Amino acid sequence: MTAQAPAKRLYIKTYGCQMNVYDSERMADVLAPLGYGLTDTPEGADLVVLNTCHIREKATEKVYSELGQIKRLKDKADGAMTIAVAGCVAQAEGEEILRRQPAVDLVVGPQAYHQLPELIARAHRARGERLAAEFAADEKFDALPIARNPSGVTAFLTVQEGCDKFCTFCVVPYTRGAEWSRPVEAILAEARDLAAKGVREVTLLGQNVNAYAGEGGLAGLVRRLAQIEGLDRIRYTTSHPRDMDEALIAAHGEVEALMPYLHLPVQAGSDKILKAMNRGHTAEGYLRLVEKIRAARPDIALSGDFIVGFPGERDADFEATLQLVREVGYGSAFTFKYSRRPGTPAAALPGQVAEEVKEERLARLNALIEAQQRAFNAAQAGRVLPVLFEKPGRHPGQLVGRSPYLQAVHADAPDRLIGRIVPVRIESASRMSLAGALELEPA
Ligand code: 5AD
Ligand code: SF4
C-alpha cells in the first residue's frame, strides 16, 4: 500500500480533559477526507485548531497567549493559515475570542465538530464565521465518521456528555450543556470497531460518566462491552459519588475487564464546603461509599480531584480535607486552587480566599497526596502485575505499558508484545512509574 502525502497540514493542540483528547481525534478524522494530515508543529500548518479548556482561569488565559504566538506564524505565512478555536472556551466566549484576536478565522463549540469541513470552507470565503452550539449532541455523533484509525492499543470512547450537577464552582454545565447519553448500540458498534482494529483497552468518557442513562445504565453498558472479543480492559472517567449506584458497585466486583482503579472526585472534606459547592453528599457519605466499593472490589485503588481555597474555606475546613485524604488513601489525585469563574454561583460568594493561603494549602495537600502516591507505587514492588504493553520505551529493547492501576510500567520486552497483556514482576517504583521484568517469556 502506498500512503499518499497529505496535501494540507493540520496542527491540533489539545488542552484540558480527556474528552478534548477524544474530540481532537474526531476532528482529525473528519478533516482527513479533505486532505488534511496531522503535523507536530504549527509552523507551516494550513489549519491550526486549538481545542481549548475553560475550567480554570489559567487554562483560558493560556489560549490567548498561544493565539498570540500562532498569529505571528500566520503573519509570517502572509496569512496563508486558517486558525480555528474549538472546545469550551470557544463555546463560552466565542465572540470575545474573535474580538480579542483578529487572526482567528472561526470558533466552533463541542457540539458542532461535524460541521468543521463546511465551516472551514466558509471561513475561507469570509472571515469571522461564528457558530453557537445549538445542535443536538446525537447529531454530532451520527455525523462524525465512526471508522477511526486508533493510533494504538488503548482508546477513549465518549458515552456521555454534559452535566446537570451544577457544582457552584464549575463551568461545565454551561459549556458542555445538559447531561446526554449516547445509545448503547452506537457505543457497542464503535467499541467492536475499535477492538477489530487492535484496541485492547477502552476508557469510557463522560463529564458525568456514571450518570450514563442509556439502557441498563453504566453497569449494563460495562457488562455488554466486556463481552466484546479482544476488549480486555474497561475504564471510565469521570464519575460523581452521587451516581455510584449499587449495580455499578456490583459490576466492579464481578466484571473482570473492569479495571480496579476508579476516579471518584470528592473536591473537599468539610461538610460546610461540600454544601456550599452543591455536591449533594457529605464527607461521611463519601467515606461510606468508598467502603462499599472496597467491599465489592478489595484491590481497587482510588484517585480524586480536590479544590483548595473555595470561598469560605477556613483552616478547619482544609484540615477536614487532609483528614479525608488520610482516611481514603489515594493512588493518585489532581489538586487545584479554586479559580473564580465568572457566571458561576461561587464567584459571587463572600469569603474569597487569599492567593497566598491557597498556595500554602495546595502545597500541603500535594505533599500528602504525593506521599500516598509514592507509597502506593512502592507497594507494587515484588508483585506480579498484568501489564498491557503500548509502545517502545525510551531505551532500546524496552517497552512501556500500563498496570491495572494505570501506572506506567517499563520492562525489557520484544516489540511483538505490544498490544498484549503480560505478567511483569515489579522491581522498582518512583512517584510516576514502575519498572519490572517479564515474569515469563510468553509465546
Ligand atoms: N476552580 C478550580 N478547580 C476547578 N475544577 C472545576 N472547576 C474548578 C474551578 N472553578 C476542578 C474540579 C473538577 C476538575 C475537573 O477540575 O476538581 O473535578
Ligand atoms: Fe463540574 Fe460538578 Fe458537573 Fe463535575 S459534577 S462537571 S465538577 S458541575
Side-chain angles (χ1 to χ4, degrees), residues 26-309:
R26 302 302 290 258
M27 283 191 262
D29 292 341
V30 88
L31 292 168
L34 301 180
Y36 284 100
L38 281 172
T39 146
D40 298 338
T41 56
E43 281 96 9
D46 300 285
L47 173 60
V48 171
V49 178
L50 299 188
N51 192 4
T52 62
C53 174
H54 197 238
I55 196 101
R56 283 167 293 273
E57 193 180 354
K58 230 198 215 155
T60 306
E61 281 310 312
K62 252 193 234 160
V63 173
Y64 287 102
S65 71
E66 181 79 23
L67 279 174
Q69 288 172 32
I70 289 171
K71 179 190 183 297
R72 281 193 284 281
L73 296 175
K74 180 170 180 163
D75 291 344
K76 253 204 271 175
D78 287 328
M81 175 189 277
T82 304
I83 303 177
V85 180
C88 293
V89 181
Q91 178 66 33
E93 42 191 77
E95 306 263 325
E96 179 167 354
I97 296 168
L98 292 168
R99 193 173 50 73
R100 266 177 77 172
Q101 184 45 272
V104 171
D105 296 287
L106 80 110
V107 294
V108 51
Q111 306 306 336
Y113 294 155
H114 56 295
Q115 303 198 340
L116 261 177
E118 194 203 321
L119 286 169
I120 286 163
R122 275 203 268 162
H124 282 158
R125 293 198 290 269
R127 202 211 131 249
E129 199 66 48
R130 288 191 179 90
L131 191 82
E134 292 149 358
F135 306 89
D138 52 347
E139 217 178 277
K140 160 183 166 182
F141 282 107
D142 289 347
L144 286 172
I146 227 170
R148 306 171 54 221
N149 182 22
S151 44
V153 295
T154 65
F156 294 126
L157 206 177
T158 294
V159 305
Q160 181 276 340
E161 281 199 42
C163 180
D164 296 338
K165 301 291 186 295
F166 290 93
C167 298
T168 54
F169 51 81
C170 186
V171 293
V172 167
Y174 313 99
T175 53
R176 291 278 178 164
E179 284 177 9
W180 185 86
S181 299
R182 287 177 77 188
V184 174
E185 282 310 323
I187 296 165
L188 292 176
E190 188 169 344
R192 283 188 208 106
D193 187 53
L194 291 168
K197 292 189 168 115
V199 168
R200 300 273 81 91
E201 172 178 311
V202 286
T203 300
L204 310 178
L205 295 182
Q207 265 93 30
N208 243 294
V209 70
N210 58 344
Y212 177 73
E215 204 193 325
L218 189 64
L221 180 65
V222 162
R223 286 181 193 271
R224 295 198 54 189
L225 287 167
Q227 288 166 4
I228 294 176
E229 181 73 31
L231 265 197
D232 298 316
R233 289 182 163 190
I234 302 169
R235 307 177 185 277
Y236 61 88
T237 197
T238 190
S239 14
H240 195 294
R242 266 156 66 191
D243 293 315
M244 214 55 220
D245 62 19
E246 299 289 339
L248 189 54
I249 296 171
H252 274 281
E254 293 162 12
V255 179
E256 207 194 326
L258 192 52
M259 289 293 98
Y261 186 68
L262 176 63
H263 186 64
L264 194 63
V266 64
Q267 313 294 355
S270 143
D271 287 344
K272 182 188 94 188
I273 298 298
L274 287 169
K275 189 154 193 275
M277 287 176 162
N278 189 33
R279 291 289 295 176
H281 60 78
T282 59
E284 183 56 33
Y286 180 83
L287 291 170
R288 273 203 312 271
L289 175 62
V290 167
E291 232 169 70
K292 262 200 214 167
I293 297 166
R294 283 185 166 146
R297 181 81 203 231
D299 65 336
I300 204 162
L302 292 170
S303 74
D305 291 341
F306 293 90
I307 295 177
V308 300

